[in-house]
Amino acid sequence: MNDKKSSYVVKRLEAMLRVWEQTLFVANAEVKPTRPEFFKGAIANWHRFRRAVLDRTKPFKNEDFEMPIDLFYSYFVEVICYNFFPDVFTNWTRSSRRVYSLSKDMQTDLELTSVAGVTWGDLHPPFPCFIISLPIPLPGMFNNLIDTLVVETGKGFIRVLALGNELDAFKVMPQEMKNGIANASRNGNMQKLLTRCQAARAGGYCYIPSNQYGERLCSNLNLEIIPDKVGVEKVEFAGIQPHSEEEKEKTLRFWIPIYRIIIGLCMHLDDLQQKNVGMPVALVDATPVEIPVTEDPKAVTSTDNLVTLDCEHELTADERRIHGIIREKGSIEALRELSAHFRSAYRRRPPGQGDNPNARKSVKVRWTIVNEKRLPEHALPAGSLVEVK
């Protein structure tokens, strides 16, 4: 049997990152010579973003990549999600690099299943930030089709970037055009800079796709997450208010299936980990043993493949190598050789009860990076695409 392994590029996230970078390239060229008081944050540092995400040895500083609000709408119009995109992208890259690819049947089942009555306390997301790939695109609110959900979760909040085929309109700026804009800015030639930036806009290189953003916030974990069975008239909207009952209904018609998918998937993944859950049991203290580590060859060390994941269907060469080590040296030694990877939160039986099939899986284990010591200093785990059927 041949090993079967391929790469999966998170296409929508890559396109959004490139839109953000290309727009800020133009903003950088225009603002530096004309409005130096705003030459800060994302405008000044956009070209450092990928390296900052990759370097886990340093905390990510939001303020270094925020767009000055006085200029935000001049470049990103009303698409506010680009203002916090750097934070979301970093959260996904550093906490999971996980994409859940649904089967068509799974997506349909999740959309049809009401989550009325599911409370915030019932929700146990696998990671703080993850992506869901939809095989059946959902009709968007701007005559687009949504096929990718970037989900960020925490205590009492769910934030969603709904991305789709509107990102297909992104056009990569020709290098000759970029060089012309950069040179005019560097030389302080305002007339050439104005002309060349106008040409870039006319050519569609500064187009901002209308991605949809939604969030649910709550301070009471006993409340249900979404109003899945109430009428439109009882729903309260925070932030931008729909102007009519028709718009309210359109908004709910779009978002309810999305939240059903997210909440249902989280509960499905949780069900796979445990059948029944008892009261939490305190973990037994353990003294870690220092062992020599080798560098993980699969670690992400390049800024060019931040959105590229491994898509594995059969045993890989690495897994076969680990199997050989198990036969030769035992499982403990073999596990030390496993590639660094993100492990989702799960529940297990209490210490000393691992072999008892009747023991409840009552110990909650948080998500973590397994074999983190194998990562080079400026590197990330490889990430993965998981098919959910």
Side-chain angles (χ1 to χ4, degrees), residues 169 171-172 174 177 196-207:
K171 295 170 60 176
V172 178
M177 179 178 284
R196 290 169 181 175
C197 288
Q198 284 179 338
R201 290 185 169 89
Y205 298 108
C206 297
Y207 165 72

Side-chain angles (χ1 to χ4, degrees), residues 15-16 19 76-77 79 81-82 164 166-170 206-212:
M16 194 170 183
V19 168
F76 290 101
V77 292
V79 190
C81 59
Y82 283 98
E166 71 277 8
L167 284 160
D168 290 337
F170 170 72
C206 297
Y207 165 72
I208 304 298
S210 299
N211 304 315
Q212 284 100 136

Side-chain angles (χ1 to χ4, degrees), residues 18-26 170-173 205:
R18 296 175 77 180
V19 168
W20 183 84
E21 290 176 324
Q22 190 160 287
T23 302
L24 284 164
F25 164 76
V26 175
F170 170 72
K171 295 170 60 176
V172 178
M173 187 181 294
Y205 298 108

Side-chain angles (χ1 to χ4, degrees), residues 212-232:
Q212 284 100 136
Y213 167 73
E215 66 177 20
R216 297 289 298 165
L217 305 172
C218 184
S219 58
N220 185 346
L221 298 184
N222 293 319
L223 296 178
E224 67 176 3
I225 302 173
I226 61 170
D228 205 349
K229 286 188 176 180
V230 303
V232 174

Side-chain angles (χ1 to χ4, degrees), residues 320-340:
R320 295 182 190 280
R321 179 179 65 84
I322 297 301
H323 181 260
I325 297 176
I326 291 176
R327 288 293 183 89
E328 182 182 354
K329 299 182 179 180
S331 59
I332 294 178
E333 188 64 32
L335 289 176
R336 295 172 185 167
E337 291 293 315
L338 281 174
S339 298

Side-chain angles (χ1 to χ4, degrees), residues 66-264:
E66 287 178 340
M67 182 78 168
I69 198 64
D70 294 315
L71 295 182
F72 179 84
Y73 295 99
S74 298
Y75 289 95
F76 290 101
V77 292
E78 299 292 329
V79 190
I80 195 65
C81 59
Y82 283 98
N83 196 34
F84 48 81
F85 170 74
D87 184 49
V88 174
F89 184 91
T90 303
N91 193 3
W92 174 76
T93 305
R94 291 189 175 188
S95 74
S96 77
R97 288 178 56 77
R98 177 64 56 86
V99 175
Y100 293 103
S101 178
L102 306 185
S103 68
K104 290 184 177 181
D105 285 348
M106 170 61 82
Q107 180 181 339
T108 302
D109 182 61
L110 292 176
E111 286 186 47
L112 292 175
T113 304
S114 171
V115 292
V118 177
T119 68
W120 289 93
D122 297 327
L123 191 67
H124 305 289
F127 295 103
C129 191
F130 55 94
I131 290 174
I132 302 174
S133 178
L134 305 177
I136 309 172
L138 296 170
M141 298 179 68
F142 305 104
N143 296 319
N144 56 344
L145 294 173
I146 300 299
D147 54 24
T148 303
L149 306 176
V150 184
V151 184
E152 193 174 26
T153 64
K155 188 175 181 180
F157 76 86
I158 301 175
R159 300 188 182 105
V160 187
L161 288 178
L163 312 178
N165 63 349
E166 71 277 8
L167 284 160
D168 290 337
F170 170 72
K171 295 170 60 176
V172 178
M173 187 181 294
Q175 191 60 48
E176 183 179 358
M177 179 178 284
K178 291 186 71 173
N179 292 341
I181 291 174
N183 290 337
S185 176
R186 185 167 49 249
N187 298 330
N189 190 324
M190 295 299 100
Q191 187 55 49
K192 281 188 177 180
L193 179 62
L194 177 63
T195 300
R196 290 169 181 175
C197 288
Q198 284 179 338
R201 290 185 169 89
Y205 298 108
C206 297
Y207 165 72
I208 304 298
S210 299
N211 304 315
Q212 284 100 136
Y213 167 73
E215 66 177 20
R216 297 289 298 165
L217 305 172
C218 184
S219 58
N220 185 346
L221 298 184
N222 293 319
L223 296 178
E224 67 176 3
I225 302 173
I226 61 170
D228 205 349
K229 286 188 176 180
V230 303
V232 174
E233 68 280 355
K234 294 183 180 179
V235 177
E236 295 183 4
F237 288 82
I240 300 175
Q241 298 289 332
H243 296 295
S244 65
E245 293 302 304
E246 184 180 351
E247 287 186 351
K248 275 189 176 183
E249 186 173 346
K250 180 180 178 182
T251 300
L252 288 177
R253 194 164 57 243
F254 172 71
W255 283 109
I256 291 296
I258 287 178
Y259 282 109
R260 281 184 173 184
I261 289 170
I262 295 169
I263 296 168

